[in-house]
Amino acid sequence: MFIINFNFVKPIEEVNNYTELHREYVSKQYKNGIFILGGPKDPRNGGIVIANSNSEKELCEILDNDPLIIEKVAEYSLTKFTPLLSITNLKFLLGESK
């Protein structure tokens, strides 16, 4: 799994021009089960997404096609981690049965 840390590199007014396209794009990744949780940071200078992927290459290909990245209004960094603990209704992420 990965934590994706989006940081805006342009003023929020410019980011807002691509926010709807970004949300449409990432909604497909949620439907595909790649992204499992995400949202804007507070203050709104970027966002955080938890991704269910074992392949950094695959994840970078997805992220590099995000409108925010294509339009160069945001950048991202990845942190790979192995989840070991969760609340009960997230146990499926640990490979445990319900």
Side-chain angles (χ1 to χ4, degrees):
M1 295 187 80
F2 289 87
I3 298 169
I4 305 164
N5 184 15
F6 285 97
N7 288 304
F8 299 149
V9 296
K10 299 286 183 171
I12 194 68
E13 297 79 18
E14 194 170 339
V15 172
N16 287 339
N17 293 329
Y18 305 101
T19 300
E20 188 162 330
L21 290 172
H22 162 73
R23 288 181 180 160
E24 288 173 13
Y25 181 76
V26 298
S27 70
K28 296 173 189 171
Q29 307 314 316
Y30 285 99
K31 289 178 185 170
N32 292 336
I34 302 294
F35 293 177
I36 53 176
L37 181 68
K41 295 180 193 177
D42 185 7
R44 190 168 169 238
N45 58 5
I48 299 290
V49 175
I50 305 296
N52 187 21
S53 176
N54 291 321
S55 170
E56 184 171 345
K57 180 181 177 188
E58 172 190 52
L59 192 54
C60 286
E61 288 173 4
I62 291 168
L63 294 169
D64 289 343
N65 286 295
D66 184 308
L68 295 180
I69 302 304
I70 291 171
E71 298 299 331
K72 299 183 181 354
V73 297
E75 297 175 339
Y76 67 86
S77 63
L78 301 176
T79 302
K80 187 172 185 176
F81 74 103
T82 303
L84 297 176
L85 300 170
S86 78
I87 61 174
T88 303
N89 44 348
L90 292 181
K91 292 286 188 192
F92 72 95
L93 296 174
L94 304 175
E96 301 173 10
S97 59
K98 293 182 180 181

